Amino acid sequence: MPRIAYVNGRYVAHAHAFVHIEDRGYQFADGVYEVCEVARGFIVDMPRHLGRLNRSLTELSIDWPVTRGVLPIIMREVVRRNHVTDGLVYLQVTRGVASRDFVFPVGTKPSLVVTARKADPAAAEKKAESGIKVITVLENRWDRVDIKSVGLLPNVLAKQKAKEAGAQEAWFIDADGTVKEGGSSNAWIITRDGVLVTRPAEHGILRGITRTTLFEVAVKLGLKIEERGFSVAEAKAAREVFISSATTIAMPIVAIDGAPVANGHPGSITLSLRHAFFDVAEKSPA
């Protein structure tokens, strides 16, 4: 079956899904996006994702392209038409199509694109069983990374550098050696005392939806959390290290810049967080 996308009011074949060449998302990266995991026939944490979308749109003064009540219907329909039981649904909103000018156009209708694709949960579990590697790169992004903007070129370059180094993620690092976040994930460590540590999300990182849900998972498992910065050196000396995102949940890190974390194998606390995640996350029927 061919893939189906939603583009500005129409469901079209993915191969023929296009936006105008003067869409401001294409011209200026003037837009935002969200990615929701689809798992076991449910869209995971959709209300929180839509809440963050609302914040991103508000911060950039972009109107909703459809009403907030209609967007979940479109998302579910795209998931249904693509027969996705496990995978993801991606939505992108831009300021719309207008003659190329830096200032905001007047009266332009925002553009909306929604796509969905399948994923193999067994492959993801296999990856979690062996863990992944990260490298570190100096922070070079704009200051408003709390907005989930489509302007991701620094992230692209960082993740390409990770791939070339045989790693699967790159961490952005402040000049003082403090870890910020990954190219597409939040960063966590677990201390020798079993305390979960992650950087506060008030400034400098994206407030991950999976990150937020993992706080609730940790409470259910009786784990302590500290929101504070941590250095690369502290991460390398940690009991466990992991990343979180909608597409990885809690993914163990087994090496940082080529140095093994602990014994070089995924840790039990990270895996327990991962396995308990769907018992806590909000699940909306797809």
Side-chain angles (χ1 to χ4, degrees):
M1 294 290 292
R3 289 179 65 191
I4 302 296
Y6 175 94
V7 182
N8 293 329
R10 299 175 59 230
Y11 296 95
V12 297
H14 191 272
H16 300 110
F18 304 109
V19 295
H20 194 279
I21 59 171
E22 288 192 313
D23 187 282
R24 288 179 63 93
Y26 173 68
Q27 298 277 3
F28 295 111
D30 188 3
V32 300
Y33 75 102
E34 282 291 332
V35 180
C36 297
E37 182 183 14
V38 181
R40 308 168 191 177
F42 295 94
I43 300 177
V44 179
D45 284 331
M46 182 164 61
R48 281 179 169 164
H49 281 282
L50 295 182
R52 186 172 64 181
L53 174 66
N54 184 66
R55 180 183 183 278
S56 294
L57 292 171
T58 300
E59 290 294 310
L60 296 184
S61 299
I62 298 175
D63 294 332
W64 275 73
V66 295
T67 65
R68 190 162 176 171
V70 167
L71 186 52
I73 296 171
I74 295 171
M75 294 168 65
R76 291 188 179 99
E77 183 64 14
V78 172
V79 169
R80 186 190 69 80
R81 292 191 183 213
N82 287 279
H83 306 283
V84 176
T85 301
D86 295 284
L88 62 85
V89 56
Y90 173 93
L91 62 97
Q92 178 172 301
V93 182
T94 75
R95 202 176 302 277
V97 177
S99 296
R100 192 179 189 279
D101 189 4
F102 284 88
V103 299
F104 294 171
V106 177
T108 298
K109 181 176 175 56
S111 296
L112 171 63
V113 172
V114 183
T115 60
R117 72 166 186 256
K118 298 177 181 179
D120 182 0
E125 284 304 311
K126 185 175 181 180
K127 181 181 290 187
E129 289 172 3
S130 57
I132 65 172
K133 302 174 183 178
V134 301
I135 63 166
T136 59
V137 298
L138 285 176
E139 175 65 281
N140 63 349
R141 302 171 298 167
W142 77 317
D143 193 53
R144 294 304 310 276
V145 293
D146 57 294
I147 301 171
K148 200 167 177 65
S149 162
V150 297
L152 295 172
L153 184 56
N155 306 60
V156 169
L157 296 175
K159 291 178 81 72
Q160 177 63 27
K161 187 174 181 180
K163 180 180 179 180
E164 292 169 358
Q168 293 75 43
E169 178 60 296
W171 277 356
F172 289 103
I173 308 299
D174 278 335
D176 65 359
T178 302
V179 176
K180 296 192 79 170
E181 62 183 343
S184 59
S185 62
N186 289 129
W188 302 68
I189 64 172
I190 301 174
T191 69
R192 295 292 177 177
D193 296 327
V195 178
L196 277 65
V197 180
T198 189
R199 184 178 177 127
E202 279 70 30
H203 177 78
I205 68 169
L206 181 71
R207 188 180 295 276
I209 301 302
T210 302
R211 173 188 181 277
T212 300
T213 300
L214 283 173
F215 275 65
E216 298 176 0
V217 178
V219 170
K220 179 179 180 179
L221 297 179
L223 300 171
K224 181 181 177 181
I225 295 179
E226 293 180 3
E227 285 190 272
R228 63 171 175 82
F230 58 87
S231 66
V232 175
E234 186 177 5
K236 289 181 177 179
R239 172 176 172 176
E240 298 180 34
V241 180
F242 67 95
I243 59 171
S244 64
S245 72
T247 56
T248 62
I249 310 175
M251 181 61 66
I253 302 299
V254 296
I256 302 171
D257 288 333
V261 174
N263 63 2
H265 296 281
S268 59
I269 296 177
T270 301
L271 294 178
S272 68
L273 289 165
R274 179 181 181 85
H275 295 150
F277 181 80
F278 290 110
D279 295 332
V280 175
E282 185 169 349
K283 298 174 281 294
S284 303

